[in-house]
């Protein structure tokens, strides 16, 4: 079986765009040219790669396999470009990276000194913000990369064709409780926590995770207070005011006195991913290099466990 790798790029564009017409626009070619390349690729592999519907196309099992191969080739070519550019000493640029507090402070910012030694010609500018703000700035072109978070048990919102998401890690949720509460006795009965659940601002990324866990526990009691930041949540827990879900990355610091972490199976995790704009051309070499660095740092933070492979299961902020 001979497969022309150039046709895999066409299939990848169709998969990302959701149809032949949109893929043709993405590749700056005619729809007829896209259809011809797909037909030839199907003959080469001896299998149908797409299922055509009135509103677009979906990939067959064989199509999904080839798209995965195409993505691997794309990554390898990007790595080759980065290495050649680095060898030539011509990697320069200014890359703006937006994100939320825990990922920036625990994962990305501590890696900046090593980055300056590795790529002194590329400046990384850090911009902290909420999910909605980061999304707007990315679409407007004010950010090159945006690190986002959402509960991995919840279906992620569909992205526009102009954006692509690259998973980084799954960050397990942990239950934090006031020290010496009855929560440490095994949590057999959740009404014995000894403290109510803290309320979460509806705009915060962890709101859906807290609601999901409470539903799974059959908890319908009233919450107290309302927080949108983990520092506030930990301060309230330390004061004995309630219990909360906190992601593991936010607990990699000295905790306030009066806070205990309880291991509870099935809490899930938050999904952390990075998004960037797509177009007819590949990412600029400087942005591509920073993206690879962010993925490297995230893999190290999770000990090499990729999304979907976390022992904890699912999560948010």
């Amino acid at each position: 079986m001979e497969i022309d790798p150039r046709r895999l790029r066409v299939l990848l564009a169709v998969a990302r765009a959701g149809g032949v017409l949109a893929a043709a626009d993405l590749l700056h070619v005619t729809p007829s040219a896209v259809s011809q390349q797909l037909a030839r690729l199907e003959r080469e592999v001896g299998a149908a790669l797409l299922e055509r519907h009135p509103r677009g196309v979906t990939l067959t099992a064989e199509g999904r396999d080839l798209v995965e191969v195409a993505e691997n080739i794309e990554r390898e070519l990007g790595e080759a470009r980065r290495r050649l550019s680095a060898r030539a000493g011509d990697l320069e640029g200014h890359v703006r990276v937006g994100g939320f507090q825990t990922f920036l402070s625990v994962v990305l910012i501590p890696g900046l000194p090593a980055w300056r030694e590795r790529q002194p010609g590329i400046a990384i500018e850090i911009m902290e913000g909420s999910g909605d703000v980061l999304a707007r700035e990315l679409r407007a072109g004010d950010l090159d990369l945006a690190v986002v978070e959402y509960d991995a048990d919840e279906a992620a919102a569909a992205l526009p064709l102009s954006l692509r998401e690259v998973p980084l890690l799954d960050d397990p949720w942990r239950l934090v409780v006031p020290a010496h509460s009855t929560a440490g006795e095994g949590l057999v009965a959740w009404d014995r926590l000894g403290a109510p659940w803290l309320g979460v601002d509806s705009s915060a990324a962890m709101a859906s995770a807290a609601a999901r866990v409470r539903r799974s526990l059959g908890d319908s009691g009233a919450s107290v207070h309302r927080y949108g930041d983990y520092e506030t949540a930990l301060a309230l827990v330390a004061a004995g005011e309630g219990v909360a879900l906190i992601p593991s990355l936010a607990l990699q610091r000295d905790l306030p006195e009066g806070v205990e972490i309880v291991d509870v199976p099935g809490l899930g995790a938050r999904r952390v991913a990075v998004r960037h704009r797509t177009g007819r051309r590949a990412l600029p070499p400087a942005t591509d290099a920073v993206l690879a660095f962010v993925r490297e740092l995230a893999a190290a933070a999770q000990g090499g466990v990729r999304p979907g492979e976390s022992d904890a299961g699912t999560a948010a902020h």
Side-chain angles (χ1 to χ4, degrees), residues 244-263:
L245 283 183
I246 304 288
S248 294
L249 284 179
L251 299 174
Q252 294 185 16
R253 53 185 288 276
D254 291 334
L255 297 179
E257 255 185 73
V259 172
E260 289 185 356
I261 302 171
V262 181
D263 285 321

Side-chain angles (χ1 to χ4, degrees), residues 153 172-175 186-187 190 212-213 216-217 245 262-269 311-314:
D153 268 340
W173 289 109
R174 308 291 295 280
L175 181 71
L187 299 173
W190 284 86
R212 171 180 57 78
V213 169
S216 70
L217 300 172
L245 283 183
V262 181
D263 285 321
V264 181
L267 294 181
D311 289 338
T314 35

